[in-house]
Amino acid sequence: MKKLLIYGATGYTGYTGRMAAERAKTLGLDFEIAGRNRQMLASLADALAVPFRIFSVDSAVDAGAAKALADIDVLLNFAGPFAQTAEPLMQACLEAGVDYLDITAEINVYRLAGRLGTEAAEVGVMLLPGVGWDVVPTDCLAVHVAQRVNEPQSLRVALQVPGSMSRGSAMSVSEIIGAGLMTRVDGHLVPIPDAQPQEFDFGEGLVPCAPLSFGDLVTAWHSAGIPNIAMFVHVSGDAFPEGDLSLLPDGPTAEQRDAHRARAVAEVTGADGTVSRSMIETVNGYSYTPLAAVEAARRVLEGERRPGFETPARLFGGGFAETIEGTTITDL
């Protein structure tokens, strides 16, 4: 049996990582957990009866990836913000011959994976960022709605973020904001600093959505081949937190997650001007992410893989998002 390593299952941003480890245990996967905090890792490892290993993202490369990732086949990274962890862990995976997965929405991580894609293919390693929410549901939604028109030319995607943000999510969104506003025009990413909010309907009437550069600007281009893409987000409930993000809670409680389902809308325009819209609805994103991420890892462990840079919908098919219970796509 091939082995999975869940990195970031405890610690500063390990909220969904802990849930993923519990899910992997339920599914009977052969896995270990890893991170920097020995005390917290030992406690979780004891509770799950799994081995653990200690290394930082820097030491993964400095001390030699073959040592840090010995006997590992797939690395699933939950340690955000991913601007700080993705590159050293991707490089470690390239050196050790380990497939890399993570749950980021940070666009610069996808751009990095794209740049490393050729090298990854040459050494037989797959780089598959974004196996949670975002981008699994929106990537699959883009593929779905693109099939409803002839020669899809443009795509608009809007996410609805309900409820309060976890500490890890807020830190990642800060990285996304810091990357600047971008859009995809004729296949190329271009800056759009003056982009304006637009309105979308998530089922209860039009609401304003702010432009934001999520990873879908990369994944939808590779998965659906749509040359013009714009991304937006509507934050409902608590506004985006300000101040010291380190003081935020790990994440919402189970009751809070159950109270807020997650939705995204995609609109595609075809070459003849035809416009099609579809909406995906799932369980809360914090519940969806560990389920989708571990399912993706399970499939990769079983041989569903393709060396190089990959996207969820291109690798697993446009129906992958709906394999997670409680997920539906509705054509509008």
Side-chain angles (χ1 to χ4, degrees), residues 9 44 55 148 151 178-179 182 185 206 258 288 291 300 304 324:
L44 180 60
F55 65 92
R148 300 181 60 205
E151 299 181 44
M182 287 175 275
V185 178
L206 292 172
D258 290 342
Y288 188 94
L291 296 174
V300 175
E304 267 187 85
I324 306 304

Side-chain angles (χ1 to χ4, degrees), residues 162-177:
S164 59
M165 286 189 185
S166 72
R167 178 175 56 220
S169 293
M171 295 173 67
S172 275
V173 171
S174 293
E175 294 289 344
I176 295 169
I177 293 172

Side-chain angles (χ1 to χ4, degrees), residues 9-323:
T10 64
Y12 199 53
T13 56
Y15 175 72
T16 49
R18 290 192 295 273
M19 290 192 288
E22 292 165 357
R23 178 64 175 171
K25 183 68 175 182
T26 298
L27 294 180
L29 300 184
D30 184 8
F31 75 101
E32 296 184 20
I33 59 175
R36 296 181 298 177
N37 189 313
R38 178 176 295 276
Q39 182 177 356
M40 296 183 70
L41 280 168
S43 176
L44 180 60
D46 183 63
L48 296 176
V50 298
F52 69 95
R53 55 185 74 184
I54 306 293
F55 65 92
S56 71
V57 293
D58 294 327
S59 67
V61 175
D62 295 343
K67 179 179 179 180
L69 301 177
D71 303 320
I72 297 300
D73 298 284
V74 176
L75 174 69
L76 179 53
N77 178 20
F78 281 88
F82 295 87
Q84 299 175 15
T85 65
E87 184 167 12
L89 288 176
M90 284 185 190
Q91 294 289 356
C93 286
L94 292 176
E95 182 180 339
V98 174
D99 288 336
Y100 173 92
L101 284 66
D102 70 30
I103 61 162
T104 190
E106 299 170 28
I107 187 170
N108 283 338
V109 174
Y110 295 87
R111 300 173 76 184
L112 169 66
R115 291 194 299 271
L116 294 175
T118 299
E119 179 183 353
E122 290 174 350
V123 298
V125 166
M126 181 171 66
L127 303 176
L128 178 62
V131 292
W133 174 288
D134 183 57
V135 299
V136 167
T138 45
D139 195 35
C140 293
L141 182 65
V143 169
H144 172 87
V145 73
Q147 294 171 342
R148 300 181 60 205
V149 303
N150 293 320
E151 299 181 44
Q153 296 298 304
S154 66
L155 166 70
R156 296 194 309 157
V157 179
L159 308 177
Q160 183 185 52
V161 180
S164 59
M165 286 189 185
S166 72
R167 178 175 56 220
S169 293
M171 295 173 67
S172 275
V173 171
S174 293
E175 294 289 344
I176 295 169
I177 293 172
L181 293 178
M182 287 175 275
T183 190
R184 188 171 288 276
V185 178
D186 295 332
H188 301 284
L189 284 175
V190 297
I192 48 164
D194 299 325
Q196 298 299 307
Q198 297 186 25
E199 292 187 328
F200 291 83
D201 187 350
F202 296 97
E204 298 177 350
L206 292 172
V207 293
C209 298
L212 202 60
S213 303
F214 281 99
D216 301 83
L217 291 173
V218 176
T219 57
W221 165 239
H222 287 277
S223 297
I226 302 174
N228 302 287
I229 306 169
M231 286 292 304
F232 302 86
V233 62
H234 174 71
V235 179
S236 61
D238 297 338
F240 182 78
E242 298 178 352
D244 187 351
L245 300 182
S246 68
L247 300 177
L248 292 173
D250 283 352
T253 65
E255 292 75 16
Q256 290 170 327
R257 296 197 307 270
D258 290 342
H260 296 287
R261 289 176 64 79
R263 298 178 182 87
V265 172
E267 174 187 286
V268 168
T269 302
D272 60 358
T274 301
V275 177
S276 292
R277 300 177 182 86
S278 298
M279 180 174 72
I280 191 165
E281 180 176 350
T282 77
V283 295
N284 186 276
Y286 292 105
S287 298
Y288 188 94
T289 290
L291 296 174
V294 173
E295 175 60 15
R298 184 191 67 80
R299 292 189 181 202
V300 175
L301 288 167
E302 292 187 352
E304 267 187 85
R305 58 183 301 276
R306 196 158 44 229
F309 168 54
E310 273 301 336
T311 64
R314 190 167 66 173
L315 180 66
F316 301 126
F320 176 58
E322 293 173 280
T323 65

